[in-house]
Amino acid sequence: MPLYGAPHSLEAVVNPHSLTPVLRVLRLCLHLMVAALLALAAIRAAAEHAPDTPAVIGAAVVLAFVYALGPVLPKVSAAPVAAALWLTAVLAVWALLVLLTPDGVWLAFPLFFVQLHLLPLRWALPLVAVTTAVAVGGFGWHARGFTVGTVLGPALGAAVAVAVVLGYQALYRESEQRRRLIEELTEARSDLAAAERTAGVLAERERLAREIHDTLAQGLSSIQLLLRAAERALPDRPDGALGHVRHAREAAVDNLAEARRFVRALSPPGLEHGSLPAALERLCTTTARTSGLAVHCHVSGTPADLPTPQEVALLRIAQSALANTVQHAEASRAELTLSYMGTEVALDVVDDGTGFRPSEVPAPGTDTTGSGFGLAAMRARARALHGTLVVESAPGEGTAVAVTLPTAAAVPGAATPTRLPEQAP
């Protein structure tokens, strides 16, 4: 019965706003019970016209005044010594009232709750026992003897008060544990939401980084090569220089369209109106025209429709691999092979360039030249679609990039392959 707020604290006595509505009602009921019992003792003493009537009324008034100091004085709740002195004064006046009238014995019941809530159990239980003994002694004093009722009444009242308060304290501890658990869960949910937002931001940044590397960066590199070729052709071969400039302009237009599309998360233009093999064939033709590299495209197996994300990933990986060949390999020939193998689709890009050691490729962002992003982006694309990417190379032996992706039938819960122009990669 939470009459005084949290166990062993007088804060709720002084600050009723710290209580819930139910606890305020219970606190008010306790005070009303004390007031009613004191009024009953005074009224009955006045009605009997006994010689000690003034003393009973005076003791009742003094007890009411001392009891009222607990909820009013801040020091009572702020200092344990003040609380102990207040409780001692209440019990002393109450013992005097019990000595004057048997009606004062009934005040023992609300005092049990006050003691159990103001003091730790190691002090409250002995004080409850003393209060019970005083109540039993008061009954015996006024009845000139002891009966079973005079002993069991206060004892049962004390037992009920102890049981109720102990039960309340157990419920209070359990509610506090649940409150803390709810706070922890709420905090964990907030942290999870923040982590999901951060992950979403990082995923979008990674997507944009891959798209920029595989489209704009490669396109700008092609434009640079074409303009250099035009510069070398001038002024001796103006027609050849003009052709290079036209190709550079076309590359700029294509990359502008790519930039607009990947910002809107649309499919690449090469896949909107054609199949993946056709898009790879056009990629090889464009790369050969702009770089002078001999690039050949091959398709093995029976072509099948793939989900748009897989087609986009394979096209982007092919773009990045051929761009690396043009920029770094110093190759004269490159072979691109797309293989349909039932439950898997594979893409191989092989060149006869200078090669390199894959283990020595710097991590993205750690090299001052800005290299390292291409292979990392290709691996990220393959990993996102449950595929694998293998790079085989050695100095002087060329490079082979092989990516293998499971088809929709091999991925549990995968959707039926469709070709939607507006579907995001």
Side-chain angles (χ1 to χ4, degrees), residues 118 199 235 354 359 369 391:
L118 291 183
T354 57
S359 60
T369 63
V391 178

mmCIF file with all atom_site columns, all heavy atoms in Angstrom, residues 118 199 235 354 359 369 391:
data_model
loop_
_atom_site.group_PDB
_atom_site.id
_atom_site.type_symbol
_atom_site.label_atom_id
_atom_site.label_alt_id
_atom_site.label_comp_id
_atom_site.label_asym_id
_atom_site.label_entity_id
_atom_site.label_seq_id
_atom_site.pdbx_PDB_ins_code
_atom_site.Cartn_x
_atom_site.Cartn_y
_atom_site.Cartn_z
_atom_site.occupancy
_atom_site.B_iso_or_equiv
_atom_site.pdbx_formal_charge
_atom_site.auth_seq_id
_atom_site.auth_comp_id
_atom_site.auth_asym_id
_atom_site.auth_atom_id
_atom_site.pdbx_PDB_model_num
ATOM 1  N N   . LEU A 1 118 ? 9.004  4.745   6.442   1.00 0.00 ? 118 LEU A N   1
ATOM 2  C CA  . LEU A 1 118 ? 10.030 5.723   6.787   1.00 0.00 ? 118 LEU A CA  1
ATOM 3  C C   . LEU A 1 118 ? 11.351 5.080   7.152   1.00 0.00 ? 118 LEU A C   1
ATOM 4  O O   . LEU A 1 118 ? 12.393 5.719   7.014   1.00 0.00 ? 118 LEU A O   1
ATOM 5  C CB  . LEU A 1 118 ? 9.555  6.592   7.946   1.00 0.00 ? 118 LEU A CB  1
ATOM 6  C CG  . LEU A 1 118 ? 8.401  7.562   7.668   1.00 0.00 ? 118 LEU A CG  1
ATOM 7  C CD1 . LEU A 1 118 ? 8.108  8.380   8.896   1.00 0.00 ? 118 LEU A CD1 1
ATOM 8  C CD2 . LEU A 1 118 ? 8.720  8.444   6.486   1.00 0.00 ? 118 LEU A CD2 1
ATOM 9  N N   . ALA A 1 199 ? 23.574 3.603   -41.627 1.00 0.00 ? 199 ALA A N   1
ATOM 10 C CA  . ALA A 1 199 ? 23.859 2.581   -42.633 1.00 0.00 ? 199 ALA A CA  1
ATOM 11 C C   . ALA A 1 199 ? 23.246 2.946   -43.977 1.00 0.00 ? 199 ALA A C   1
ATOM 12 O O   . ALA A 1 199 ? 23.846 2.729   -45.032 1.00 0.00 ? 199 ALA A O   1
ATOM 13 C CB  . ALA A 1 199 ? 23.337 1.223   -42.153 1.00 0.00 ? 199 ALA A CB  1
ATOM 14 N N   . PRO A 1 235 ? 48.446 20.518  -85.804 1.00 0.00 ? 235 PRO A N   1
ATOM 15 C CA  . PRO A 1 235 ? 47.583 21.039  -86.893 1.00 0.00 ? 235 PRO A CA  1
ATOM 16 C C   . PRO A 1 235 ? 47.701 20.236  -88.165 1.00 0.00 ? 235 PRO A C   1
ATOM 17 O O   . PRO A 1 235 ? 47.116 20.568  -89.190 1.00 0.00 ? 235 PRO A O   1
ATOM 18 C CB  . PRO A 1 235 ? 48.125 22.447  -87.091 1.00 0.00 ? 235 PRO A CB  1
ATOM 19 C CG  . PRO A 1 235 ? 49.605 22.293  -86.824 1.00 0.00 ? 235 PRO A CG  1
ATOM 20 C CD  . PRO A 1 235 ? 49.742 21.234  -85.750 1.00 0.00 ? 235 PRO A CD  1
ATOM 21 N N   . THR A 1 354 ? 50.362 -5.249  -68.812 1.00 0.00 ? 354 THR A N   1
ATOM 22 C CA  . THR A 1 354 ? 51.541 -5.428  -67.965 1.00 0.00 ? 354 THR A CA  1
ATOM 23 C C   . THR A 1 354 ? 51.254 -6.215  -66.700 1.00 0.00 ? 354 THR A C   1
ATOM 24 O O   . THR A 1 354 ? 52.161 -6.789  -66.103 1.00 0.00 ? 354 THR A O   1
ATOM 25 C CB  . THR A 1 354 ? 52.105 -4.054  -67.571 1.00 0.00 ? 354 THR A CB  1
ATOM 26 O OG1 . THR A 1 354 ? 51.071 -3.296  -66.915 1.00 0.00 ? 354 THR A OG1 1
ATOM 27 C CG2 . THR A 1 354 ? 52.574 -3.290  -68.807 1.00 0.00 ? 354 THR A CG2 1
ATOM 28 N N   . SER A 1 359 ? 47.627 -8.262  -54.455 1.00 0.00 ? 359 SER A N   1
ATOM 29 C CA  . SER A 1 359 ? 47.812 -8.065  -53.013 1.00 0.00 ? 359 SER A CA  1
ATOM 30 C C   . SER A 1 359 ? 48.418 -6.710  -52.689 1.00 0.00 ? 359 SER A C   1
ATOM 31 O O   . SER A 1 359 ? 48.364 -6.259  -51.541 1.00 0.00 ? 359 SER A O   1
ATOM 32 C CB  . SER A 1 359 ? 48.696 -9.176  -52.444 1.00 0.00 ? 359 SER A CB  1
ATOM 33 O OG  . SER A 1 359 ? 49.975 -9.161  -53.078 1.00 0.00 ? 359 SER A OG  1
ATOM 34 N N   . THR A 1 369 ? 47.253 8.808   -55.406 1.00 0.00 ? 369 THR A N   1
ATOM 35 C CA  . THR A 1 369 ? 46.795 8.886   -56.796 1.00 0.00 ? 369 THR A CA  1
ATOM 36 C C   . THR A 1 369 ? 45.303 8.658   -56.938 1.00 0.00 ? 369 THR A C   1
ATOM 37 O O   . THR A 1 369 ? 44.746 8.824   -58.022 1.00 0.00 ? 369 THR A O   1
ATOM 38 C CB  . THR A 1 369 ? 47.553 7.856   -57.651 1.00 0.00 ? 369 THR A CB  1
ATOM 39 O OG1 . THR A 1 369 ? 47.242 6.533   -57.176 1.00 0.00 ? 369 THR A OG1 1
ATOM 40 C CG2 . THR A 1 369 ? 49.064 8.079   -57.569 1.00 0.00 ? 369 THR A CG2 1
ATOM 41 N N   . VAL A 1 391 ? 40.244 -11.733 -59.060 1.00 0.00 ? 391 VAL A N   1
ATOM 42 C CA  . VAL A 1 391 ? 41.202 -11.021 -59.903 1.00 0.00 ? 391 VAL A CA  1
ATOM 43 C C   . VAL A 1 391 ? 42.488 -11.847 -59.941 1.00 0.00 ? 391 VAL A C   1
ATOM 44 O O   . VAL A 1 391 ? 43.091 -12.127 -58.899 1.00 0.00 ? 391 VAL A O   1
ATOM 45 C CB  . VAL A 1 391 ? 41.479 -9.609  -59.366 1.00 0.00 ? 391 VAL A CB  1
ATOM 46 C CG1 . VAL A 1 391 ? 42.513 -8.909  -60.247 1.00 0.00 ? 391 VAL A CG1 1
ATOM 47 C CG2 . VAL A 1 391 ? 40.203 -8.798  -59.302 1.00 0.00 ? 391 VAL A CG2 1
#
